[in-house]
Every structure is written in structure tokens, then in C-alpha cells.
Amino acid sequence: MTLSHVSTIPDNDALTGGFANPVFDAQSVFKMMMDAMARPGTLQTITSDIAPPAPLGIAAGAIGLTLCDHDTQVWLSGGLARSTMPEWLGFHTGAPVTTEKLEARFAFVETGVLLASLNQFDVGTQEYPDRSTTLVLEIASLEGGKELALSGPGIADINMIAPIGLPDTFLRSWNDNRALFPRGVDLVLTAGRQFLCLPRTTKIIATEI
């Protein structure tokens, strides 16, 4: 089910806070996204001065402005759905918001929301694995936490990340997601202005304490 965001006059907050230079800024963020997907775990930093509705962070907002359009249904976690983000995203990108996880091409989740599993979203099909959901998950920080070792395509040897705020069940959920290959969701972790990408092909293991 798709929610309409054009039936009422948008709140003023929904009309502001977008890219100052939409073409240039979107191109810049898109290039960072491509680099981050090609090199899993590599930290990227958004430099554009945008002001997405709280509780959405700057990196997550910039990704939404760059990748979403009128053809991409978006699912929002509770806090985001209750904010002015549906109107903000609709005004700046034309993207419709859906309440059905399986219909979403992109899903945005604010800090502190625990997801029981990743395969509650669309994991694509064997014929069209690229039609799966890309999940943008905001966490407390991408640095300073327990180290995780990444390996797989795009990683020469091992790449280390140290996120803070992932649920305790994350590694189990990620392994279940990775086992679906070529199906599965791709994950973008964001914190403030920073983000990193974890394509479904990436192997993640906890390091020894």
C-alpha cells in the first residue's frame, strides 16, 4: 500500500533542507555510493549542507535525495514515517512511501530501531536479484565499536570496520542474507555525515576480543 504525500500542502520543513545544487550534489553522492559499493567498508563523508527531517541523519538524507525518484517506493521505520520525511522525500524526489516492506526499493531505518531479520524486505529473485531492497540503516557511529572483519569482492585482503549500534543479532541476520546470493539485500550503514556500504557478497566475521 502506497501512502499519498501530495493530498495536503507540505509542511514548510518539507520544502527546505535539500541539495543547494541538486545536479552537482547528487552526482557527487552517487559517485561516493558507487565507490563505497565497489569497496565494501570504506568510509565516505557527505560534504553537502542539507537538513533532512529529524531523526534522519545527513548521510541517509543525501542518499535518499540521490537515489530515490518517482519510480522507487520507499519504506520508513516508525520515527521517520511520523516525521516530515515522507513529505520531504516526496517534494524533493517524487518518491512514494509504502507501508509494505516487500514493495520497497529503498528502506530507511532510524537509530535505535532493531530489525529482527533482513529478509523481511524484498530479496529479489534468481532472475532479477537486482530488484531487491537497499536498506539504509542509521546507527550511533561507524567508528569506535567492536571490530568486524570484511572480506569478499572489492576487498584485497581484509577490511576492518568498527560500528557502534548494530543489534546483537546482526551477524546471524547478515549470514542468512548472504546465504541467499545472488538474492539478498544490500546494506548502507550511516552515522551523521558518514556512511559505508555492505553489498550482499561481503563476508563479515567478528574479530577475537
Side-chain angles (χ1 to χ4, degrees):
M1 179 175 64
T2 301
L3 302 178
S4 172
H5 47 249
V6 296
S7 58
T8 59
I9 298 174
D11 186 283
N12 284 339
D13 290 342
L15 305 179
T16 59
F19 286 139
N21 188 331
V23 173
F24 175 81
D25 290 337
Q27 288 177 341
S28 175
V29 175
F30 186 78
K31 289 178 181 178
M32 283 191 281
M33 281 292 298
M34 293 300 98
D35 183 59
M37 279 291 182
R39 298 191 298 146
T42 303
L43 280 178
Q44 306 283 346
T45 301
I46 300 295
T47 58
S48 300
D49 288 324
I50 66 170
L56 193 70
I58 289 177
I63 290 168
L65 292 176
T66 300
L67 299 184
C68 297
D69 59 32
H70 64 279
D71 288 326
T72 56
Q73 294 199 69
V74 175
W75 181 86
L76 306 174
S77 58
L80 296 176
R82 291 187 296 270
S83 73
T84 58
M85 187 182 173
E87 293 81 9
W88 186 78
L89 200 60
F91 176 76
H92 291 286
T93 73
V97 173
T98 179
T99 59
E100 301 296 329
K101 295 183 180 72
L102 291 175
E103 294 178 354
R105 297 280 67 80
F106 296 95
F108 291 82
V109 180
E110 81 259 26
T111 306
V113 173
L114 299 181
L115 296 175
S117 68
L118 299 177
N119 61 15
Q120 60 190 291
F121 297 97
D122 188 352
V123 297
T125 65
Q126 292 294 117
E127 295 79 14
Y128 300 102
D130 59 314
R131 294 181 180 176
S132 64
T133 303
T134 295
L135 176 61
V136 182
L137 176 63
E138 183 103 15
I139 60 175
S141 178
L142 297 178
E143 300 175 283
K146 292 183 179 179
E147 290 193 327
L148 299 174
L150 311 184
S151 60
I155 302 172
D157 185 15
I158 296 290
N159 196 0
M160 304 299 296
I161 62 174
I164 298 175
L166 289 176
D168 294 337
T169 58
F170 172 73
L171 287 180
R172 183 181 66 193
S173 296
W174 184 256
N175 288 333
D176 291 344
N177 178 65
R178 188 168 171 268
L180 297 174
F181 185 82
R183 299 180 299 145
V185 304
D186 295 320
L187 180 62
V188 184
L189 297 181
T190 69
R193 288 184 175 273
Q194 293 185 312
F195 74 92
L196 61 82
C197 292
L198 298 174
R200 69 197 73 174
T201 54
T202 303
K203 182 179 180 180
I204 307 175
I205 61 172
T207 60
E208 295 295 331
I209 297 177

